[in-house]
Amino acid sequence: QVQLVESGGGLVQAGGSLRLSCVASGGDFRFNAVGWYRQAPGKQRDLVARLSRVGNTNYADSVKGRFTISRDNAKSTVTLQMNSLKPEDTAVYYCNVFYAGIDYWGQGTQVTVSS
């Protein structure tokens, strides 16, 4: 019954910004680690940003200083603020939560950065 729904993707020019949101339902995820991952065509799915159970963050080197992960427990929402976007950021972005022993994923939202 756990569901993760991403939104906020789209087409943006290099240097622009997007804010991705992931709304979670079906459980209490306040104390679970959450993350954003991305997968470009022909590439593996890689970690973009992770927020730990206690609120610590971890970012891929390629996005440090540009992306920020945050959560709003009242809204059961995880956000990825993406600034200074580059064409290489183009990918499908997925949110993730590990809950009750299961790794859950959303359907993904497409981010395309044009030059």
Side-chain angles (χ1 to χ4, degrees), residues 15-96:
S17 298
L18 285 173
R19 179 175 293 174
L20 306 183
S21 294
C22 174
V23 179
S25 62
D28 182 357
F29 312 104
R30 292 176 297 169
F31 308 111
N32 293 77
V34 295
W36 285 95
Y37 294 72
R38 67 187 181 188
Q39 187 168 22
K43 302 291 186 179
Q44 65 182 357
R45 186 175 298 184
D46 292 325
L47 174 70
V48 176
R50 182 179 181 272
L51 199 161
S52 77
R53 300 176 187 86
V54 296
N56 298 126
T57 56
N58 188 32
Y59 297 93
D61 288 341
S62 60
V63 307
K64 286 181 178 177
R66 300 189 296 121
F67 291 10
T68 303
I69 186 172
S70 62
R71 72 196 306 168
D72 184 341
N73 287 329
K75 298 179 180 179
S76 297
T77 300
V78 182
T79 298
L80 184 69
Q81 177 66 45
M82 306 185 296
N83 299 323
S84 301
L85 284 162
K86 305 174 181 179
E88 50 263 45
D89 295 319
T90 295
V92 177
Y93 284 70
Y94 301 88
C95 65
N96 164 265

